[in-house]
Structure formats: C-alpha cells, structure tokens
Amino acid sequence: MTQEYAKPLPRPNRLSQPFWDGAKHHELLLQKCAACGHVWFPPSTHCPRCLSVEYEWSKASGRGKVWSWVVIWQRYFAAFEADIPYNVAYVELDEGPRLMTNIVGCENEAIYCDMPVEVVFEDVTPEVSLPKFRPQAS
Ligand SMILES: [Zn+2]
C-alpha cells in the first residue's frame, strides 16, 4: 500500500497479539476456555465464565448477525470524513462474542438487526488487517 493509512490502528499487546496475527492471516481467532468451552472477546487472561486460565486460540466461523449499529453523519475524526455517512456496528458472532466493526458490501440503509453477516478482512497496512463484515452470501 503506497498511500499512508490515516485512521487509528490497533496497538496489540501481549494478550491481543494472537487476535491481530490471526487477522493478518485472514483468520478470526478467539480465546476458547479449555475447562468449560466458553468463547470470549475481547481478549483476557482468564475465562469470564469459569475463571479458568487455561485457554486456546481457536478459529471462529466468521459468521454472525448484526446486533446493533449506528450511521455516523457527523465529522468526529478527520480521517473518517471522506467516509461520511459510515456505519459502526456490533456483530454477534455465532460463537457468542460481539465485535465492534463496520458493515461493508451494502448500503447503510440495507443494514438491519439480526442481518446475517460474514467476516472479510481489510488489509489496511502491510502489517494490519481489520475484520469487517458483509452480508452473508445466501
Ligand atoms: Zn471457562
């Protein structure tokens, strides 16, 4: 990518690095509890359900549904100005956790609650890919 990416980028830490490494490889990785099977996001040191510290990073289906969304019509950040109006959405994954993201591949007016969506990855820099969601192909 020759043009510099002006929007905020994730700053992975020790806990979230596997998530961002997965995204770079276009895989949605989530922590899964080895004791009770619970899957969670955002990353944490222990299972929020049973408090076990034993977990693995497992590949999520990448499928889910729109839980909520807003359309931004106001200029809050200069780097997003060209995108106005743009959406910010919560997607509830089939595995349970909700991710804040953008819905792509359809008009803002076409978004609705429980809309089936699937992950796509946007390679925004050579190092960073962001998970976004598009309507599921039927
Ligand atoms: Zn657990």
Side-chain angles (χ1 to χ4, degrees), residues 106-136:
C106 72
E107 297 296 321
N108 289 327
E109 293 74 19
I111 302 170
Y112 59 92
C113 264
D114 292 337
M115 176 182 186
V117 290
E118 62 190 5
V119 73
V120 288
F121 291 90
E122 199 173 296
D123 300 322
V124 296
T125 74
E127 296 81 26
V128 176
S129 299
L130 301 177
K132 311 253 172 143
F133 287 78
R134 68 180 176 205
Q136 280 182 19

Side-chain angles (χ1 to χ4, degrees), residues 61-66 91-94 115-118 133 136:
S61 66
R63 295 164 77 90
K65 59 189 180 183
V66 172
V91 164
E92 187 171 86
L93 299 168
D94 286 356
M115 176 182 186
V117 290
E118 62 190 5
F133 287 78
Q136 280 182 19

Side-chain angles (χ1 to χ4, degrees), residues 33 35-38 47 49-52:
C33 180
C36 78
H38 186 62
C47 172
R49 188 160 76 182
C50 78
L51 304 182
S52 171

Side-chain angles (χ1 to χ4, degrees), residues 8-20:
L9 288 167
R11 281 182 252 172
N13 58 29
R14 184 182 57 79
L15 261 178
S16 65
Q17 187 70 53
F19 176 85
W20 294 110

Side-chain angles (χ1 to χ4, degrees), residues 19-130:
F19 176 85
W20 294 110
D21 288 347
K24 182 67 212 149
H25 296 101
H26 292 194
E27 291 189 339
L28 195 59
L29 300 184
L30 299 173
Q31 287 169 295
K32 182 177 185 178
C33 180
C36 78
H38 186 62
V39 176
W40 71 86
F41 186 86
S44 68
T45 54
H46 58 274
C47 172
R49 188 160 76 182
C50 78
L51 304 182
S52 171
V53 295
E54 302 296 325
Y55 63 82
E56 59 177 14
W57 286 91
S58 68
K59 187 181 173 187
S61 66
R63 295 164 77 90
K65 59 189 180 183
V66 172
W67 184 71
S68 186
W69 83 100
V70 293
V71 175
I72 309 291
W73 291 87
Q74 190 97 15
R75 180 190 184 275
Y76 294 108
F77 303 100
F80 289 84
E81 188 165 10
D83 297 340
I84 294 172
Y86 61 92
N87 70 74
V88 177
Y90 263 116
V91 164
E92 187 171 86
L93 299 168
D94 286 356
E95 290 80 5
R98 293 176 187 144
L99 263 69
M100 190 178 282
T101 184
N102 305 115
I103 306 300
V104 298
C106 72
E107 297 296 321
N108 289 327
E109 293 74 19
I111 302 170
Y112 59 92
C113 264
D114 292 337
M115 176 182 186
V117 290
E118 62 190 5
V119 73
V120 288
F121 291 90
E122 199 173 296
D123 300 322
V124 296
T125 74
E127 296 81 26
V128 176
S129 299
L130 301 177

